[in-house]
Amino acid sequence: MKRTTVGGQAVLEGVMMRNGSKCAVAVRKPNKEIEVRPTEIHSIKEKYPFLKLPILRGIVSFVESLVVGMETLTFSASFIEEEVEDGDFIDRFLEKHMQGTGEKVIMGITIAISVVVAILGFMILPYALSEVIKKFTNSQTIALVAEGIIRIGLFLGYMVLISQMQDIQRVFMYHGAEHKTINCLEHGDDLTVENVAKHSRLHKRCGTSFLFLVVLISIFVFFFIRFDSVLLKAGCRLLLVPVIAGISYEFLQLAGKSNTKLADKLSRPGMCLQYLTTREPDADMIEVAIRSVEEVLDWKTYVEAVRKGEIED
């Protein structure tokens, strides 16, 4: 199977695809037309080459992915016809007092809140609960194991919970369309709705797998952090979150480029979790994903090169 650098994200009634500096989001509007917005994204890593070093590049990519993801979600949400008076007031206030930067302010605040909630919920809360368990045992090892079990339980519980939400299920269908389209491309098949539908909705380089890796690697890393001070232990967990994200990124990239049995086995837990975060898409959703790819890659030339054996893994 031939790999590409194309990656994507499901948004509200659409799909975003990215290939290097090229990025495009395609959205199915209420009138059933497809709106496509292509953009150029220039990573800060191009300006500061040292950020391309292992681990650091993962941290930067994670932050930039959050920003791009919020921008594309904002774009897709703009087509949803909802009248919210409070939101209109806030938008007018920000535009009036922040000279056209209101949307960026909201986006920045949203990203910050999301990161804080995620860290508190999946990093600090399990630790706090393990400290309660520690009162019933003198073994720090048992407390650390309990912390890991609680962290996995909270993560899986969260995934199961959101997968039951009707609105989220449509996003997960577009998520499936994104994966199927990339898999079709990587197998060297023409990007037609019929061809894409035949491929798997699971993919090694998925963000779901990345999050699961963050949880697993954090368990391993935190197991070796053994301070008597509660503040030191909590502080180290906070400080190591970017490092854990960087390590997870490196593993995901390595597994995504490899076809070895070992890479497949190591990727299997994260891919199994994608059964929760993806759904089988319909033909209209696949069409949206294809349109998004067409803006960032000349797939016909790519597929022809794959068939001629000109592109190697």
Side-chain angles (χ1 to χ4, degrees), residues 279-299:
R279 295 287 187 274
E280 287 295 332
D282 59 31
D284 286 347
M285 294 175 175
I286 292 175
E287 184 183 0
V288 170
I290 292 174
R291 285 287 299 277
S292 185
V293 169
E294 289 174 339
E295 290 293 329
V296 300
L297 178 71
D298 181 359
W299 67 262

Side-chain angles (χ1 to χ4, degrees), residues 23-27 35-39 68 71-73 75 103 295:
C23 180
V25 56
V27 177
E35 180 82 12
V36 183
R37 187 188 70 170
T39 56
V68 173
E71 289 177 347
T72 54
L73 278 172
F75 173 75
E103 185 174 304
E295 290 293 329

Side-chain angles (χ1 to χ4, degrees), residues 11-12 18 21 32 44 51 57 100 110 154 159 175 177-178 207 220 257 268 280 299 311:
V11 296
L12 299 174
R18 182 175 178 180
S21 62
K32 302 306 179 183
I44 193 175
L51 292 176
R57 62 189 176 188
T110 302
L154 287 173
M159 287 296 182
H175 192 192
E178 172 220 330
F220 177 79
K257 294 176 182 177
R268 185 55 54 184
E280 287 295 332
W299 67 262
I311 297 179

Side-chain angles (χ1 to χ4, degrees), residues 269-281:
M271 292 180 70
C272 286
L273 193 59
Q274 291 173 38
Y275 282 110
L276 288 175
T277 62
T278 62
R279 295 287 187 274
E280 287 295 332

Side-chain angles (χ1 to χ4, degrees), residues 1-162:
M1 184 171 65
K2 310 301 179 181
R3 304 291 181 185
T4 71
T5 59
V6 176
Q9 172 188 324
V11 296
L12 299 174
E13 296 301 324
V15 174
M16 180 273 285
M17 292 288 187
R18 182 175 178 180
N19 181 27
S21 62
K22 293 183 177 181
C23 180
V25 56
V27 177
R28 179 76 69 178
K29 298 194 295 185
N31 63 6
K32 302 306 179 183
E33 294 180 357
I34 298 177
E35 180 82 12
V36 183
R37 187 188 70 170
T39 56
E40 289 282 334
I41 298 175
H42 299 286
S43 174
I44 193 175
K45 290 181 287 186
E46 301 302 322
K47 187 176 181 180
Y48 302 101
F50 75 92
L51 292 176
K52 295 181 180 180
L53 293 172
I55 308 299
L56 288 179
R57 62 189 176 188
I59 297 172
V60 173
S61 295
F62 174 65
V63 174
E64 291 181 341
S65 294
L66 285 176
V67 174
V68 173
M70 287 303 304
E71 289 177 347
T72 54
L73 278 172
T74 301
F75 173 75
S76 65
S78 67
F79 295 101
I80 299 177
E81 299 177 353
E82 292 183 349
E83 295 182 359
V84 183
E85 293 183 2
D86 291 342
D88 292 339
F89 170 77
I90 293 173
D91 289 341
R92 290 196 300 270
F93 177 84
L94 289 173
E95 290 302 318
K96 179 180 178 180
H97 296 281
M98 299 196 178
Q99 301 178 350
T101 62
E103 185 174 304
K104 292 183 178 180
V105 171
I106 293 176
M107 188 182 305
I109 293 174
T110 302
I111 292 174
I113 292 175
S114 299
V115 172
V116 170
V117 170
I119 291 175
L120 291 177
F122 299 117
M123 296 297 172
I124 301 302
L125 179 58
Y127 165 67
L129 293 176
S130 71
E131 285 296 304
V132 175
I133 294 175
K134 193 176 179 181
K135 294 180 179 180
F136 300 95
T137 176
N138 293 323
S139 174
Q140 191 171 12
T141 298
I142 292 177
L144 288 168
V145 170
E147 179 184 351
I149 294 173
I150 293 170
R151 181 170 292 112
I152 291 178
L154 287 173
F155 180 73
L156 294 178
Y158 171 76
M159 287 296 182
V160 171
L161 181 63
I162 65 171

